[in-house]
Amino acid sequence: MIIGVIGAGAVGGYCGAMLKRAGHDVIFVARGKHLDAMKEQGLLIHCDSGSFRVDGHFTNDVQDLNQADLILFTVSSTDTRATAEKLLPLLKADSMILTLQNGVDNEEMLTEWFGKARVFSGAAYLNVSLEAPGVIRQQQLQSFMIGSLAEEAGKEQAEMIVHLFQQAGLECQISMCILEEKWNKLIINAVFNPISALNSVTVGEILDNEKLRKTAERSLAEAVKIGTALGIPIRQELIDRFFIIAESARHHKTSMLQHREQGKKMEIESLCGYLVHKGRALGIDTSVLSSTYQALLLYEGNDENEIS
């Protein structure tokens, strides 16, 4: 199978490398120093089971994806719409698109361009980071839930993608309610990512700091209220054990913090603004999430996007 990874950073690069090692033809689309390093020396992966390096097709040209059977869509959510627009005329009519992005708004955009039948969604519970150009480190946590947005109609293809991941050594299960799964992950991200990025702290430092821990608790309560009001079944186990579960990722730098440190645009809208806007429309108090959201917008110089 020909697999294209567009946005081959930490998550996409790691998954692509595992699939490449399993024998698939993988095309990695990236840019900048990361791309240069991969072209020169391949992609080096450090993980709990050891280290390995893969060679492959490393490029910054999306035209190279025109024969791909499966696209791992792992660009930042800030680039979703522009990237989808570029891909649409290039891909084969039967190419599948799997988004492993954060948030739940990317699925809405991708189905606008490609239709529900071709778009699959994945929730990646993954402690992974771009350690240096051409070098990715994965530690401890590593599991995926994948499902079809067309539900039963796309079950067979979703099962095929899950099997691909499993064969490549990625812990993966199918979900028949993938958007519910993505919502549960969104709540985790919406609590830790904005606080982590704004204060330049790890998950563990949030847990250990009384003030930040309280902010996280209040953010959790607001996010759960919004999801519940939208009819999303939020797992009670997640709520009850939220901060116990977070202990397993206490040394993790969130993706939003990694983007801040790398000078990239942070996924402020997908991981914070989305909930603030939904809460506002529903008449739900989101004072804590809103405060963090506004502070992040100001940090990035986007204060013209402030909500009234």
Side-chain angles (χ1 to χ4, degrees):
M1 175 174 280
I2 301 175
I3 300 170
V5 182
I6 186 157
V11 174
Y14 173 69
C15 293
M18 294 289 283
L19 290 162
K20 174 66 176 177
R21 188 173 66 164
H24 297 286
D25 184 0
V26 180
I27 303 164
F28 298 83
V29 179
R31 58 191 177 191
K33 294 181 179 179
H34 182 48
L35 174 60
D36 294 340
M38 290 191 292
K39 282 184 172 181
E40 290 176 8
Q41 60 193 27
L43 176 56
L44 176 61
I45 305 293
H46 296 302
C47 54
D48 291 342
S49 59
S51 300
F52 65 95
R53 189 185 301 273
V54 296
D55 293 319
H57 184 163
F58 303 109
T59 180
N60 62 356
D61 190 353
V62 294
Q63 295 274 354
D64 293 349
L65 300 176
N66 62 355
Q67 293 302 308
D69 302 299
L70 172 65
I71 298 291
L72 302 190
F73 201 93
T74 53
V75 301
S76 170
S77 61
T78 58
D79 296 325
T80 294
R81 192 172 296 279
T83 304
E85 186 175 4
K86 290 177 184 177
L87 278 178
L88 183 61
L90 302 176
L91 298 183
K92 299 186 299 181
D94 60 351
S95 295
M96 299 173 289
I97 297 93
L98 170 64
T99 169
L100 295 173
Q101 297 163 285
N102 289 321
V104 295
D105 54 340
N106 296 291
E107 284 79 359
E108 296 174 9
M109 288 184 274
L110 290 172
T111 54
E112 284 179 21
W113 290 96
F114 301 104
K116 278 191 174 182
R118 297 177 64 185
V119 179
F120 299 80
S121 181
Y125 298 95
L126 193 61
N127 188 351
V128 65
S129 61
L130 187 61
E131 188 171 77
V135 181
I136 291 172
R137 183 170 295 277
Q138 182 273 322
Q139 296 173 291
Q140 300 174 326
L141 189 64
Q142 185 249 91
S143 68
F144 298 83
M145 298 289 290
I146 290 173
S148 168
L149 297 181
E151 299 175 346
E152 190 65 35
K155 183 181 178 183
E156 185 175 338
Q157 288 174 302
E159 287 177 338
M160 183 269 291
I161 297 171
V162 167
H163 185 60
L164 281 179
F165 272 51
Q166 291 173 339
Q167 282 188 318
L170 297 165
E171 183 182 324
C172 190
Q173 298 178 45
I174 193 165
S175 171
M176 296 306 295
C177 305
I178 189 59
L179 285 182
E180 292 178 14
E181 189 68 36
K182 290 294 288 278
W183 252 94
N184 280 279
K185 188 188 175 190
L186 171 61
I187 288 175
I188 297 172
N189 281 326
V191 170
F192 288 112
N193 265 273
I195 299 172
S196 171
L198 190 60
N199 296 278
S200 294
V201 292
T202 63
V203 170
E205 288 170 319
I206 294 172
L207 297 174
D208 295 340
N209 181 289
E210 183 178 353
K211 182 179 179 181
L212 296 180
R213 170 72 174 249
K214 188 66 176 178
T215 300
E217 290 171 354
R218 293 174 64 190
S219 297
L220 172 62
E222 291 178 359
V224 169
K225 283 182 182 179
I226 295 164
T228 301
L230 290 170
I232 305 298
I234 308 300
R235 292 198 303 266
Q236 188 61 43
E237 180 189 12
L238 174 65
I239 300 169
D240 293 342
R241 302 187 65 247
F242 190 84
F243 293 99
I244 297 173
I245 295 170
E247 286 287 346
S248 65
R250 66 165 24 253
H251 301 297
H252 179 56
K253 284 187 177 182
T254 65
S255 61
M256 191 180 281
L257 175 56
Q258 290 182 49
H259 288 166
R260 173 179 173 172
E261 292 180 341
Q262 294 162 8
K264 298 179 180 178
K265 284 186 70 66
M266 295 180 285
E267 296 178 302
I268 298 172
E269 291 301 330
S270 287
L271 299 185
C272 194
Y274 179 84
L275 287 173
V276 170
H277 299 315
K278 289 292 185 182
R280 184 185 182 204
L282 292 164
I284 294 172
D285 174 37
T286 58
S287 54
V288 177
L289 288 171
S290 294
S291 177
T292 308
Y293 173 56
Q294 297 294 347
L296 286 166
L297 287 179
L298 287 169
Y299 175 83
E300 275 205 342
N302 294 329
D303 49 302
E304 71 273 11
N305 293 328
E306 287 187 44
I307 60 174
S308 56

